Amino acid sequence: MSIVKRFITESIKRTEIDEFLQKKLERAGYGGVNLSKTPLGTHVVVYAMRPGLVIGRGGETIKELASALEQNFKVSNPQISVPETEVPEFNAHVVANRVASALERGVHFRRAGFWALNQVMEAGALGAEIVISGKLTTERARFEKFKAGHFPIVGEPALRAMKTAEAHIQLKPGIIGVRVKIMPPDAYFPDKVTIIEPAPEEEQVVAPATPASTTPAQIAPKPEAEPEPEVQTKEVTDEPKPVAESKPEETKE
């Protein structure tokens, strides 16, 4: 099997499993599935608003799901875990199922769309879009779009961060489709620039360095200063020179 065919078959299998679980766990508030292969088998993560209905009494429902996935979809050794959805308003599957169930109960489509949109935006989402299509008011099919906030339509954030889901219900006029797109608040935008201001510099007081402790043996004695010699001062005055006395000449014999 070529790589292209392998990816196509894997994608078809994931879609079939998603549709099967959506019908099976409708009452539990199904919120999507994630499949990942491990050395021990296949790890299946099922998101739901009420995990207790997915697990069942003594784990009966989850065992039935594991056997159905292994027999019908050829999933090798499925290991199912059911984490609880913390914020249901950020899960596109949950919002789409809520709108679909409201339409099935007879709620007007505009009221159901605005109600779900307000709940998503009040939860803190950056943007949301809900599209309801089908025979809404007349025999001619059309769609109604409810949009709020900001979210990109194309690009990397739209492919990676945006959460999308679809739900279909059968009413008397025909099939009604609900498509939901939600941009969560933790989405990353490459073109968003954040400016970090430098912290104010604080004046640092430098303490004087303390000399290291030294032993008395390490301290060399300072040489004593020699006393300076005393300088005798004598006053010099100009005195008259004495006149030399004339000596008597010696007589010759």
Side-chain angles (χ1 to χ4, degrees):
M1 181 184 293
S2 64
I3 297 177
V4 177
K5 289 184 178 180
R6 181 180 177 183
F7 277 108
I8 292 173
T9 53
E10 290 291 334
S11 300
I12 292 173
K13 183 188 293 187
R14 290 173 184 269
T15 305
E16 291 176 352
I17 292 173
D18 189 16
E19 292 178 355
F20 168 75
L21 293 176
Q22 187 173 1
K23 294 178 181 179
K24 190 78 173 176
L25 305 175
E26 186 177 359
R27 293 177 54 195
Y30 175 72
V33 64
N34 187 15
L35 303 176
S36 59
K37 291 186 178 181
T38 61
L40 299 177
T42 305
H43 188 206
V44 182
V45 182
V46 180
Y47 298 97
M49 292 179 58
R50 287 169 281 183
L53 297 179
V54 181
I55 298 172
R57 287 187 179 180
E60 295 179 358
T61 308
I62 200 169
K63 289 179 182 178
E64 293 178 1
L65 290 176
S67 61
L69 292 176
E70 190 171 4
Q71 295 176 4
N72 301 336
F73 302 100
K74 309 298 180 183
V75 179
S76 61
N77 191 16
Q79 299 174 359
I80 302 176
S81 60
V82 190
E84 186 177 359
T85 306
E86 296 181 358
V87 185
E89 287 78 13
F90 294 160
N91 194 315
H93 290 274
V94 174
V95 177
N97 290 331
R98 284 180 178 178
V99 176
S101 61
L103 294 175
E104 195 172 6
R105 292 195 305 268
V107 180
H108 195 266
F109 69 93
R110 285 197 183 93
R111 184 176 181 182
F114 281 117
W115 167 73
L117 186 65
N118 292 334
Q119 278 193 338
V120 173
M121 296 305 297
E122 288 176 0
L126 297 179
E129 183 185 72
I130 300 174
V131 180
I132 303 175
S133 58
K135 295 180 180 180
L136 302 176
T137 53
T138 60
E139 291 296 324
R140 185 173 181 178
R142 63 186 184 90
F143 68 91
E144 193 83 12
K145 184 182 293 186
F146 308 92
K147 184 178 179 180
H150 166 73
F151 62 95
I153 299 175
V154 296
E156 183 181 0
L159 294 175
R160 293 182 178 271
M162 186 177 294
K163 299 180 180 180
T164 60
E166 293 183 1
H168 303 88
I169 51 172
Q170 179 68 43
L171 300 181
K172 289 182 179 180
I175 295 179
I176 304 296
V178 180
R179 184 170 67 248
V180 177
K181 294 182 180 180
I182 298 174
M183 182 61 68
D186 56 348
Y188 169 72
F189 294 93
D191 57 344
K192 188 177 181 180
V193 180
T194 56
I195 300 175
I196 301 175
E197 297 181 357
E201 297 182 357
E202 297 180 358
E203 296 182 358
Q204 297 181 357
V205 179
V206 181
T210 56
S213 60
T214 55
T215 57
Q218 294 177 352
I219 301 175
K222 294 183 179 180
E224 297 180 358
E226 296 180 358
E228 297 180 356
E230 296 180 0
V231 180
Q232 296 180 358
T233 59
K234 185 178 181 181
E235 186 177 356
V236 180
T237 59
D238 295 337
E239 295 180 357
K241 294 182 180 181
V243 179
E245 296 179 356
S246 60
K247 295 182 179 181
E249 295 181 357
E250 296 179 355
T251 57
K252 293 180 180 180
E253 292 179 357

